[in-house]
PDB file of all heavy atoms in Angstrom:
ATOM      1  N   CYS Y 436      90.643 113.849  87.110  1.00 97.00           N
ATOM      2  CA  CYS Y 436      91.601 112.979  87.941  1.00 97.00           C
ATOM      3  C   CYS Y 436      92.167 111.730  87.206  1.00 97.00           C
ATOM      4  O   CYS Y 436      91.473 111.380  86.056  1.00 97.00           O
ATOM      5  CB  CYS Y 436      90.905 112.587  89.325  1.00 97.00           C
ATOM      6  SG  CYS Y 436      89.323 111.880  89.245  1.00 97.00           S
ATOM      7  N   VAL Y 437      93.138 111.199  87.695  1.00 97.00           N
ATOM      8  CA  VAL Y 437      93.582 109.948  87.323  1.00 97.00           C
ATOM      9  C   VAL Y 437      93.110 108.849  88.230  1.00 97.00           C
ATOM     10  O   VAL Y 437      93.359 108.973  89.522  1.00 97.00           O
ATOM     11  CB  VAL Y 437      95.107 109.930  87.155  1.00 97.00           C
ATOM     12  CG1 VAL Y 437      95.785 108.588  86.901  1.00 97.00           C
ATOM     13  CG2 VAL Y 437      95.672 110.951  86.304  1.00 97.00           C
ATOM     14  N   ILE Y 438      92.606 107.747  87.802  1.00 97.00           N
ATOM     15  CA  ILE Y 438      91.988 106.658  88.592  1.00 97.00           C
ATOM     16  C   ILE Y 438      92.949 105.341  88.341  1.00 97.00           C
ATOM     17  O   ILE Y 438      93.406 105.152  87.217  1.00 97.00           O
ATOM     18  CB  ILE Y 438      90.578 106.301  88.211  1.00 97.00           C
ATOM     19  CG1 ILE Y 438      89.712 107.555  88.355  1.00 97.00           C
ATOM     20  CG2 ILE Y 438      90.079 105.193  89.035  1.00 97.00           C
ATOM     21  CD1 ILE Y 438      89.580 108.141  89.658  1.00 97.00           C
ATOM     22  N   VAL Y 439      93.230 104.715  89.373  1.00 98.00           N
ATOM     23  CA  VAL Y 439      93.926 103.429  89.241  1.00 98.00           C
ATOM     24  C   VAL Y 439      92.997 102.434  90.106  1.00 98.00           C
ATOM     25  O   VAL Y 439      92.597 102.675  91.140  1.00 98.00           O
ATOM     26  CB  VAL Y 439      95.215 103.412  89.899  1.00 98.00           C
ATOM     27  CG1 VAL Y 439      95.894 101.986  89.847  1.00 98.00           C
ATOM     28  CG2 VAL Y 439      96.163 104.464  89.057  1.00 98.00           C
ATOM     29  N   VAL Y 440      92.726 101.238  89.323  1.00 98.00           N
ATOM     30  CA  VAL Y 440      92.058 100.097  89.932  1.00 98.00           C
ATOM     31  C   VAL Y 440      92.947  98.846  89.870  1.00 98.00           C
ATOM     32  O   VAL Y 440      93.473  98.610  88.792  1.00 98.00           O
ATOM     33  CB  VAL Y 440      90.706  99.826  89.213  1.00 98.00           C
ATOM     34  CG1 VAL Y 440      89.950  98.574  89.855  1.00 98.00           C
ATOM     35  CG2 VAL Y 440      89.791 101.076  89.393  1.00 98.00           C
ATOM     36  N   SER Y 441      93.131  98.123  91.038  1.00 98.00           N
ATOM     37  CA  SER Y 441      93.802  96.953  91.155  1.00 98.00           C
ATOM     38  C   SER Y 441      92.819  95.905  91.435  1.00 98.00           C
ATOM     39  O   SER Y 441      92.136  95.932  92.441  1.00 98.00           O
ATOM     40  CB  SER Y 441      94.972  96.979  92.134  1.00 98.00           C
ATOM     41  OG  SER Y 441      95.618  95.853  92.279  1.00 98.00           O
ATOM     42  N   ALA Y 442      92.796  94.832  90.669  1.00 98.00           N
ATOM     43  CA  ALA Y 442      92.068  93.572  90.941  1.00 98.00           C
ATOM     44  C   ALA Y 442      92.862  92.858  91.914  1.00 98.00           C
ATOM     45  O   ALA Y 442      93.750  92.104  91.515  1.00 98.00           O
ATOM     46  CB  ALA Y 442      91.827  92.790  89.670  1.00 98.00           C
ATOM     47  N   CYS Y 443      92.681  92.966  93.230  1.00 98.00           N
ATOM     48  CA  CYS Y 443      93.651  92.538  94.360  1.00 98.00           C
ATOM     49  C   CYS Y 443      94.140  91.151  94.042  1.00 98.00           C
ATOM     50  O   CYS Y 443      93.205  90.258  94.019  1.00 98.00           O
ATOM     51  CB  CYS Y 443      92.987  92.853  95.580  1.00 98.00           C
ATOM     52  SG  CYS Y 443      94.030  92.274  96.995  1.00 98.00           S
ATOM     53  N   PRO Y 444      95.409  90.965  94.051  1.00 98.00           N
ATOM     54  CA  PRO Y 444      95.971  89.603  93.949  1.00 98.00           C
ATOM     55  C   PRO Y 444      96.023  88.826  95.214  1.00 98.00           C
ATOM     56  O   PRO Y 444      96.528  87.555  95.083  1.00 98.00           O
ATOM     57  CB  PRO Y 444      97.358  89.862  93.463  1.00 98.00           C
ATOM     58  CG  PRO Y 444      97.714  91.155  93.929  1.00 98.00           C
ATOM     59  CD  PRO Y 444      96.541  91.910  94.080  1.00 98.00           C
ATOM     60  N   MET Y 445      95.521  89.207  96.272  1.00 98.00           N
ATOM     61  CA  MET Y 445      95.646  88.507  97.458  1.00 98.00           C
ATOM     62  C   MET Y 445      95.013  87.150  97.449  1.00 98.00           C
ATOM     63  O   MET Y 445      93.682  86.985  97.219  1.00 98.00           O
ATOM     64  CB  MET Y 445      95.103  89.160  98.642  1.00 98.00           C
ATOM     65  CG  MET Y 445      95.038  88.582 100.023  1.00 98.00           C
ATOM     66  SD  MET Y 445      96.639  87.929 100.565  1.00 98.00           S
ATOM     67  CE  MET Y 445      97.371  89.485 101.186  1.00 98.00           C
ATOM     68  N   ASP Y 446      95.681  86.061  97.535  1.00 97.00           N
ATOM     69  CA  ASP Y 446      95.237  84.735  97.698  1.00 97.00           C
ATOM     70  C   ASP Y 446      95.755  83.925  98.983  1.00 97.00           C
ATOM     71  O   ASP Y 446      95.580  82.609  98.969  1.00 97.00           O
ATOM     72  CB  ASP Y 446      95.595  83.949  96.357  1.00 97.00           C
ATOM     73  CG  ASP Y 446      97.108  84.003  96.124  1.00 97.00           C
ATOM     74  OD1 ASP Y 446      97.918  84.517  96.948  1.00 97.00           O
ATOM     75  OD2 ASP Y 446      97.553  83.407  95.061  1.00 97.00           O
ATOM     76  N   LEU Y 447      96.166  84.642  99.895  1.00 97.00           N
ATOM     77  CA  LEU Y 447      96.737  84.060 101.131  1.00 97.00           C
ATOM     78  C   LEU Y 447      95.797  84.375 102.363  1.00 97.00           C
ATOM     79  O   LEU Y 447      96.217  83.917 103.429  1.00 97.00           O
ATOM     80  CB  LEU Y 447      98.152  84.553 101.377  1.00 97.00           C
ATOM     81  CG  LEU Y 447      99.111  84.331 100.203  1.00 97.00           C
ATOM     82  CD1 LEU Y 447     100.532  84.955 100.560  1.00 97.00           C
ATOM     83  CD2 LEU Y 447      99.292  82.765  99.967  1.00 97.00           C
ATOM     84  N   ASN Y 448      94.692  84.968 102.062  1.00 96.00           N
ATOM     85  CA  ASN Y 448      93.765  85.119 103.170  1.00 96.00           C
ATOM     86  C   ASN Y 448      92.481  85.097 102.445  1.00 96.00           C
ATOM     87  O   ASN Y 448      92.358  84.899 101.258  1.00 96.00           O
ATOM     88  CB  ASN Y 448      93.897  86.292 104.069  1.00 96.00           C
ATOM     89  CG  ASN Y 448      93.736  87.629 103.460  1.00 96.00           C
ATOM     90  OD1 ASN Y 448      92.930  87.776 102.422  1.00 96.00           O
ATOM     91  ND2 ASN Y 448      94.308  88.603 103.887  1.00 96.00           N
ATOM     92  N   PRO Y 449      91.201  85.044 103.196  1.00 97.00           N
ATOM     93  CA  PRO Y 449      89.944  84.770 102.512  1.00 97.00           C
ATOM     94  C   PRO Y 449      89.360  85.871 101.615  1.00 97.00           C
ATOM     95  O   PRO Y 449      88.343  85.774 101.059  1.00 97.00           O
ATOM     96  CB  PRO Y 449      89.047  84.535 103.558  1.00 97.00           C
ATOM     97  CG  PRO Y 449      89.822  84.239 104.814  1.00 97.00           C
ATOM     98  CD  PRO Y 449      91.015  85.054 104.520  1.00 97.00           C
ATOM     99  N   ILE Y 450      89.928  87.168 101.716  1.00 98.00           N
ATOM    100  CA  ILE Y 450      89.128  88.327 101.141  1.00 98.00           C
ATOM    101  C   ILE Y 450      88.692  88.115  99.720  1.00 98.00           C
ATOM    102  O   ILE Y 450      87.576  88.703  99.326  1.00 98.00           O
ATOM    103  CB  ILE Y 450      89.925  89.616 101.180  1.00 98.00           C
ATOM    104  CG1 ILE Y 450      91.197  89.463 100.413  1.00 98.00           C
ATOM    105  CG2 ILE Y 450      90.199  89.858 102.734  1.00 98.00           C
ATOM    106  CD1 ILE Y 450      91.870  91.022 100.374  1.00 98.00           C
ATOM    107  N   ASN Y 451      89.381  87.420  98.791  1.00 98.00           N
ATOM    108  CA  ASN Y 451      88.968  87.086  97.516  1.00 98.00           C
ATOM    109  C   ASN Y 451      88.605  85.703  97.243  1.00 98.00           C
ATOM    110  O   ASN Y 451      88.596  85.171  96.187  1.00 98.00           O
ATOM    111  CB  ASN Y 451      90.220  87.436  96.481  1.00 98.00           C
ATOM    112  CG  ASN Y 451      90.552  88.908  96.455  1.00 98.00           C
ATOM    113  OD1 ASN Y 451      89.698  89.757  96.405  1.00 98.00           O
ATOM    114  ND2 ASN Y 451      91.835  89.275  96.480  1.00 98.00           N
ATOM    115  N   GLY Y 452      88.134  84.973  98.386  1.00 93.00           N
ATOM    116  CA  GLY Y 452      87.938  83.632  98.252  1.00 93.00           C
ATOM    117  C   GLY Y 452      89.026  82.793  98.004  1.00 93.00           C
ATOM    118  O   GLY Y 452      88.910  81.608  97.454  1.00 93.00           O
ATOM    119  N   GLU Y 453      90.140  83.304  98.209  1.00 87.00           N
ATOM    120  CA  GLU Y 453      91.405  82.625  97.941  1.00 87.00           C
ATOM    121  C   GLU Y 453      91.701  82.288  96.470  1.00 87.00           C
ATOM    122  O   GLU Y 453      92.487  81.618  96.077  1.00 87.00           O
ATOM    123  CB  GLU Y 453      91.654  81.280  98.758  1.00 87.00           C
ATOM    124  CG  GLU Y 453      91.601  81.668 100.266  1.00 87.00           C
ATOM    125  CD  GLU Y 453      91.770  80.398 101.131  1.00 87.00           C
ATOM    126  OE1 GLU Y 453      91.670  79.262 100.693  1.00 87.00           O
ATOM    127  OE2 GLU Y 453      91.903  80.525 102.464  1.00 87.00           O
ATOM    128  N   ARG Y 454      90.850  82.986  95.524  1.00 94.00           N
ATOM    129  CA  ARG Y 454      90.994  82.842  94.163  1.00 94.00           C
ATOM    130  C   ARG Y 454      90.705  84.217  93.480  1.00 94.00           C
ATOM    131  O   ARG Y 454      89.556  84.424  93.121  1.00 94.00           O
ATOM    132  CB  ARG Y 454      90.157  81.709  93.629  1.00 94.00           C
ATOM    133  CG  ARG Y 454      90.322  81.333  92.168  1.00 94.00           C
ATOM    134  CD  ARG Y 454      89.267  80.294  91.732  1.00 94.00           C
ATOM    135  NE  ARG Y 454      87.985  80.854  91.596  1.00 94.00           N
ATOM    136  CZ  ARG Y 454      87.474  81.451  90.391  1.00 94.00           C
ATOM    137  NH1 ARG Y 454      88.278  81.663  89.409  1.00 94.00           N
ATOM    138  NH2 ARG Y 454      86.253  82.002  90.478  1.00 94.00           N
ATOM    139  N   PRO Y 455      91.717  85.123  93.318  1.00 98.00           N
ATOM    140  CA  PRO Y 455      91.384  86.375  92.753  1.00 98.00           C
ATOM    141  C   PRO Y 455      90.782  86.141  91.293  1.00 98.00           C
ATOM    142  O   PRO Y 455      91.165  85.265  90.486  1.00 98.00           O
ATOM    143  CB  PRO Y 455      92.720  87.003  92.532  1.00 98.00           C
ATOM    144  CG  PRO Y 455      93.625  86.336  93.728  1.00 98.00           C
ATOM    145  CD  PRO Y 455      93.069  84.942  93.795  1.00 98.00           C
ATOM    146  N   THR Y 456      89.872  87.067  90.946  1.00 98.00           N
ATOM    147  CA  THR Y 456      89.228  87.079  89.612  1.00 98.00           C
ATOM    148  C   THR Y 456      89.238  88.533  89.061  1.00 98.00           C
ATOM    149  O   THR Y 456      89.834  89.469  89.685  1.00 98.00           O
ATOM    150  CB  THR Y 456      87.753  86.552  89.672  1.00 98.00           C
ATOM    151  OG1 THR Y 456      87.032  87.263  90.763  1.00 98.00           O
ATOM    152  CG2 THR Y 456      87.742  85.118  90.075  1.00 98.00           C
ATOM    153  N   SER Y 457      88.674  88.807  87.880  1.00 98.00           N
ATOM    154  CA  SER Y 457      88.806  89.948  87.229  1.00 98.00           C
ATOM    155  C   SER Y 457      87.755  90.989  87.591  1.00 98.00           C
ATOM    156  O   SER Y 457      86.655  90.602  88.263  1.00 98.00           O
ATOM    157  CB  SER Y 457      88.625  89.673  85.732  1.00 98.00           C
ATOM    158  OG  SER Y 457      87.375  89.128  85.495  1.00 98.00           O
ATOM    159  N   LEU Y 458      87.986  92.245  87.393  1.00 98.00           N
ATOM    160  CA  LEU Y 458      87.050  93.372  87.526  1.00 98.00           C
ATOM    161  C   LEU Y 458      86.875  93.995  86.164  1.00 98.00           C
ATOM    162  O   LEU Y 458      87.623  93.736  85.227  1.00 98.00           O
ATOM    163  CB  LEU Y 458      87.610  94.314  88.472  1.00 98.00           C
ATOM    164  CG  LEU Y 458      87.783  93.921  89.961  1.00 98.00           C
ATOM    165  CD1 LEU Y 458      88.619  95.037  90.684  1.00 98.00           C
ATOM    166  CD2 LEU Y 458      86.526  93.684  90.621  1.00 98.00           C
ATOM    167  N   ALA Y 459      85.928  94.921  86.106  1.00 97.00           N
ATOM    168  CA  ALA Y 459      85.680  95.620  84.767  1.00 97.00           C
ATOM    169  C   ALA Y 459      85.341  97.028  85.195  1.00 97.00           C
ATOM    170  O   ALA Y 459      84.764  97.292  86.174  1.00 97.00           O
ATOM    171  CB  ALA Y 459      84.553  95.018  83.951  1.00 97.00           C
ATOM    172  N   VAL Y 460      85.753  97.866  84.271  1.00 97.00           N
ATOM    173  CA  VAL Y 460      85.341  99.392  84.352  1.00 97.00           C
ATOM    174  C   VAL Y 460      84.576  99.804  83.102  1.00 97.00           C
ATOM    175  O   VAL Y 460      85.047  99.498  82.030  1.00 97.00           O
ATOM    176  CB  VAL Y 460      86.646 100.213  84.676  1.00 97.00           C
ATOM    177  CG1 VAL Y 460      86.254 101.715  84.747  1.00 97.00           C
ATOM    178  CG2 VAL Y 460      87.310  99.720  85.810  1.00 97.00           C
TER     179      VAL Y 460
END
Side-chain angles (χ1 to χ4, degrees):
C436 51
V437 174
I438 304 295
V439 177
V440 175
S441 174
C443 181
M445 175 56 76
D446 53 5
L447 303 176
N448 70 28
I450 62 167
N451 296 312
E453 299 180 353
R454 187 183 72 86
T456 55
S457 60
L458 298 171
V460 178

